[in-house]
Amino acid sequence: MPVVKVRDGQVAVLTFGEPPVNSLGVTTRRDLAAAIDAAIADPAVAAIVLSGANGLFSAGADITEFGTPKMLAGPNLLDLIALIESSPKPVVAAIEGTCLGGGFEIALGCHYRVAGAAAKLGLPEVKLGLLPGAGGTQRLPRLIGVEAALNVILAGEPVPAGAFKGSPLLDQIADGPVVAAAVALANAKLTELSGRAPPRARDRKLREPALDAFLGFARNSIKAAFPNYPAPLAIVDAIGSAATQDFETGMAAERRGFSELMHGPVSGALRHLFFAERAAAKIPDVPESTPVREVRRVGVVGAGTMGTGIAINFLNARIPVVLLEVGREALDQGVARIAETYEGQVKKGRLKPEDAAARRALLSPTLSYPDLAGCDLVIEAVFEDMDVKRQVFERLDATVKPGAILASNTSTLDLDRIAAVTKRPSDVIGTHFFSPANVMKLLEVVRGKATGKDVLATVMKLARTIRKTAVVAGVCDGFIGNRMIEQYLRQALFMVDEGASPAEIDRAIEGFGFAMGPFRMSDLAGNDIGWHIRKRRYLESPTMAYSRIADRLCELGRLGQKTGAGWYDYRPGDRNAHPSAVVDELIAKYRAELGVAPRKLAKAEIVDRLVYALVNEAAKILDEGIANKASDIDLVYLYGYGFPAWRGGPMCYADTVGSFGVVHRMAEFARNPHGDPGFWTPAPLLARLAASGGAFNSIGVRS
Ligand code: NAD
């Protein structure tokens, strides 16, 4: 949409931007620059008001231009802001709604700013591993001071206009129409200036008495808090330049910092994840126009660990939940667990008592299937047992109204076999939540062979309502995340056999950036979960080589944190993992039984074996069409398994190493006589990429 020009007396009001968020792509920048030039040249215009279309100022740069020539195509953002700032006629920003990133930087280049009371301003670049690159680090501290500017830029969050009340950043906070207030302000300022040049943020002097001490403190805190992220330190440096150098030198420092970050791997990884998130919602054969079903009431079957967490998601979204159990005691315990969760949030001040009460009031516990009849969606979260699940689905099929969606939270079982017991397999879908279900952001949405497209579209939309990142997976054992983690855990156990201690393995992969190593993770989840899966695996795939060391551990009753002992020892009231002499002895005995002479494994070997075990299985998952695209797998590992965001996920990481390097390293591991001889055979897709020099994340959306 071209810039709309309206005259209000001697003030030209320029309204710019494309729906939905007035991002500042090259066309918008060109149109806006032309309109400003014309207004400056127009003798009938004395002042200019800049306002955004679509109810907001601007959400910032067009991120799809990042790293492309379009980003720099003239006028770039810096040119545009320089044009505004150098205008001899005062320019007033009329800020409504969102004003972020490059949009905020434009406003900072204006001579005056009027914000609506509901406006929110911020510089979110840090979230993409960048610093504000169009003067944000230089102008904002000149308007609100070094410390406040640093806080705003490091947090990257939108800040309500009211928080800036009284600072020179905002000349006025308008309760009524913002553009009218900006026009009135422009007229008043014209009188006040009486021909003098309008004020510019760049000319303001920054006086910070204890600057060095403050910046030193900020640098030390940041190094400790974000050791793997270069942007926060670069932000401190750029703001430091603003405080100590002239404006042009500071701008040059900001530019250098921005360019280094933009071309560095961390911003690349974070931008990849940003796009991955958007792409996850797009399913190749399910157009966005697919009609969705209304979900006004949800049923949950099974009030255990997962069922209660799942229920909380919907209660939080103000969707009534009917929670069904087989027995009174389990039902009461489930209801009590939900109540405790809300009480905990109230105690921590995260939720008002009346909001907690309102959410709890939406819960209807029951022991009777007919109470589920009116639900639009029922999610089953009973024991991981095919027979039990099939019985539950038979009952649901017989009781729940036609048109309702029937979902299973199974982590490993064949959804198609579950769907087959119903007369409506197209209404059946998998919703694989991660534990704790009310906290973890990932939802694997499992698409059965009969799942209807509208059912899939409905669940994907609902995932957004309950603030989950949903990724579609096809039916296979373990879907995307757990199928990959099984291979990772197999390697972890083989490495224990060979000589590494659980603590060494955990430390190595945590050093790589994982939130938690495999042994601490198993202790947290419960070692019996893996035991249960392995027992099934021994029956179904008897030739698959497995270390039996984890079974030995479970046989001792060391099921993890819940039993106070697992791979580590746990002490009452202390969640820290302490190395265990019992486990050391168990491992030593097992190695002796195998006849393995323990060796020291280098950190690099531990990390590469774990990560490439994930990558190789993921290549199979992608080739089989279980995942639609590599970036979906990256999201699963980011949100479900604590893979470091700054590495962009396992597929993004493999792309940065290069498929050739991955395959080469796997060939080294294949020479190791211990473990499974076939383990390191490259998946066909990985082999193809290594041969062609291709990358997982350039494969694109598969149909
Ligand atoms: P859980 O043992 O804590 O809870 C299961 C609940 O289901 C129990 O309260 C039980 O009384 C109830 N139940 C059993 N049979 C029932 C029936 N016929 N009708 C109604 N209720 C019945 O188990 P959980 O950890 O919550 O796991 C539930 C499901 O979620 C399983 O399929 C599991 O694989 C899956 N899952 C678990 C996790 C996890 O980390 N725990 C993560 C993802 C998925």
Side-chain angles (χ1 to χ4, degrees):
M1 194 178 79
V3 176
V4 176
K5 291 165 238 177
V6 181
R7 280 278 302 285
D8 187 335
Q10 58 184 347
V11 180
V13 178
L14 308 181
T15 305
F16 70 94
E18 296 284 339
V21 294
N22 305 341
S23 66
L24 298 162
V26 63
T27 313
T28 298
R29 298 197 303 266
R30 265 183 204 146
D31 289 349
L32 189 51
I36 292 167
D37 269 334
I40 292 172
D42 185 345
V45 170
I48 301 164
V49 164
L50 273 193
S51 101
N54 311 306
L56 76 160
F57 193 73
S58 164
D62 178 350
I63 297 172
T64 60
E65 287 187 352
F66 278 16
T68 74
K70 271 191 175 175
M71 188 177 97
L72 300 174
N76 63 36
L77 212 44
L78 286 164
D79 300 331
L80 182 62
I81 294 169
L83 172 69
I84 293 169
E85 195 172 49
S86 64
S87 159
K89 301 177 180 177
V91 183
V92 183
I95 303 167
E96 272 179 296
T98 305
C99 177
L100 299 177
F104 191 14
E105 290 176 301
I106 288 186
L108 293 171
C110 292
H111 306 111
Y112 303 102
R113 285 156 294 273
V114 175
K120 287 191 171 174
L121 304 94
L123 292 165
E125 288 79 355
V126 70
K127 297 193 170 177
L128 296 178
L130 297 169
L131 54 73
T137 64
Q138 303 304 299
R139 292 191 181 89
L140 190 61
R142 285 177 161 82
L143 290 163
I144 64 171
V146 164
E147 187 175 347
L150 191 63
N151 289 339
V152 169
I153 299 175
L154 284 181
E157 293 294 335
V159 181
F164 298 114
K165 199 172 174 184
S167 83
L169 173 66
L170 297 181
D171 296 276
Q172 193 185 327
I173 296 181
D175 287 322
V178 179
V179 171
V183 170
L185 186 104
N187 282 317
K189 293 294 177 187
L190 280 172
T191 313
E192 199 180 302
L193 291 168
S194 66
R196 275 176 290 129
R200 306 181 302 181
R202 60 183 284 159
D203 298 325
R204 296 179 65 88
K205 294 276 169 289
L206 251 176
R207 267 177 287 276
E208 294 284 342
L211 184 73
D212 284 346
F214 174 72
L215 293 180
F217 168 75
R219 282 194 181 95
N220 287 338
S221 323
I222 285 168
K223 275 183 205 153
F226 311 104
N228 301 304
Y229 291 83
L233 269 188
I235 287 168
V236 178
D237 289 345
I239 292 185
S241 299
T244 52
Q245 322 247 357
D246 63 78
F247 182 76
E248 291 303 343
T249 311
M251 285 296 281
E254 179 191 270
R255 207 69 221 136
R256 270 196 310 279
F258 182 81
S259 173
E260 270 170 32
L261 294 170
M262 176 67 89
H263 294 107
V266 174
S267 177
L270 296 177
R271 282 181 282 137
H272 161 68
L273 290 170
F274 177 86
F275 288 118
E277 194 126 3
R278 291 179 167 193
K282 299 193 173 81
I283 307 161
D285 62 333
V286 182
E288 277 171 41
S289 56
T290 307
V292 294
R293 302 185 191 179
E294 281 223 56
V295 178
R296 294 216 191 97
R297 183 187 261 304
V298 171
V300 176
V301 182
T305 312
M306 295 306 287
T308 50
I310 292 168
I312 289 171
N313 284 300
F314 292 100
L315 299 175
N316 287 348
R318 311 290 193 280
I319 299 175
V321 174
V322 182
L323 181 63
L324 181 135
E325 254 293 345
V326 269
R328 169 61 56 194
E329 198 183 335
L331 185 61
D332 291 346
Q333 278 171 5
V335 172
R337 206 165 24 248
I338 292 173
E340 274 164 29
T341 305
Y342 281 127
E343 277 156 21
Q345 289 177 358
V346 169
K347 257 192 209 136
K348 286 181 193 145
R350 291 195 195 139
L351 195 64
K352 288 189 196 143
E354 59 270 28
D355 288 339
R359 292 179 198 189
R360 283 174 59 185
L362 294 173
L363 179 71
S364 316
T366 183
L367 296 170
S368 157
Y369 269 85
D371 288 339
L372 295 172
C375 291
D376 304 297
L377 161 73
V378 180
I379 301 177
E380 161 282 308
V382 302
F383 301 136
E384 185 76 344
D385 180 296
M386 182 55 91
D387 292 337
V388 178
K389 298 223 188 253
R390 282 164 68 103
Q391 279 163 23
V392 168
F393 271 76
E394 271 170 13
R395 301 273 318 254
L396 292 176
D397 193 30
T399 10
V400 184
K401 69 178 181 188
I405 296 174
L406 306 181
S408 171
N409 187 49
T410 179
S411 346
T412 47
L413 300 176
D414 183 342
L415 184 77
D416 294 331
R417 285 192 59 208
I418 297 174
V421 300
T422 71
K423 290 183 208 63
R424 38 174 144 171
S426 63
D427 291 338
V428 176
I429 193 165
T431 48
H432 182 215
F433 287 82
F434 285 68
S435 182
N438 54 317
V439 176
M440 296 291 281
K441 214 169 139 40
L442 179 65
L443 179 66
E444 268 183 338
V445 175
V446 184
R447 179 179 190 175
K449 66 172 190 282
T451 303
K453 289 185 183 179
D454 63 329
V455 170
L456 188 58
T458 303
V459 171
M460 293 301 280
K461 180 168 176 247
L462 192 62
R464 281 197 294 279
T465 309
I466 60 170
R467 295 163 177 254
K468 299 288 178 200
T469 294
V471 169
V472 178
V475 174
C476 69
D477 197 328
F479 313 122
I480 298 174
N482 283 346
R483 176 167 157 187
M484 286 163 65
I485 209 77
E486 185 177 0
Q487 303 310 324
Y488 165 99
L489 292 172
R490 278 178 76 207
Q491 275 306 314
L493 297 179
F494 285 146
M495 287 192 277
V496 170
D497 294 351
E498 289 170 47
S501 71
E504 279 169 343
I505 295 171
D506 281 349
R507 268 199 303 274
I509 197 72
E510 286 164 15
F512 173 84
F514 265 71
M516 214 182 260
F519 297 98
R520 288 210 297 137
M521 185 185 79
S522 297
D523 273 359
L524 179 68
N527 293 318
D528 48 329
I529 294 185
W531 197 21
H532 184 74
I533 294 172
R534 283 192 304 278
K535 283 186 203 159
R536 185 161 59 83
R537 188 68 75 238
Y538 300 152
L539 292 175
E540 290 171 1
S541 323
T543 54
M544 191 192 252
Y546 242 114
S547 163
R548 303 292 166 127
I549 183 66
D551 304 347
R552 301 280 172 92
L553 185 86
C554 292
E555 283 156 16
L556 292 182
R558 299 183 67 102
L559 302 184
Q561 286 194 16
K562 62 184 170 188
T563 56
W567 292 104
Y568 298 94
D569 287 337
Y570 298 90
R571 296 169 191 153
D574 170 12
R575 290 198 144 198
N576 290 323
H578 302 277
S580 158
V582 177
V583 173
D584 288 347
E585 205 186 307
L586 184 81
I587 293 172
K589 239 173 90 187
Y590 184 67
R591 285 176 188 151
E593 249 177 65
L594 294 177
V596 172
R599 67 183 174 94
K600 172 108 189 118
L601 276 77
K603 269 190 193 154
E605 177 177 350
I606 295 173
V607 167
D608 289 353
R609 282 174 66 175
L610 292 178
V611 177
Y612 297 166
L614 292 177
V615 170
N616 201 38
E617 193 63 25
K620 294 177 193 169
I621 285 174
L622 205 49
D623 226 8
E624 291 167 21
I626 296 295
N628 287 319
K629 43 199 173 301
S631 63
D632 281 355
I633 298 174
D634 285 333
L635 286 181
V636 167
Y637 266 74
L638 173 73
Y639 290 126
Y641 298 86
F643 198 96
W646 54 278
R647 293 194 191 270
M651 311 317 278
C652 179
Y653 176 70
D655 286 345
T656 56
V657 173
S659 318
F660 183 85
V662 173
V663 167
H664 190 77
R665 186 80 164 132
M666 283 168 53
E668 272 178 49
F669 300 145
R671 290 196 282 275
N672 179 349
H674 185 78
D676 178 349
F679 192 101
W680 294 113
T681 306
L685 173 61
L686 181 59
R688 289 200 301 277
L689 291 177
S692 66
F696 287 112
N697 273 304
S698 63
I699 297 172
V701 177
R702 297 159 60 86
S703 52

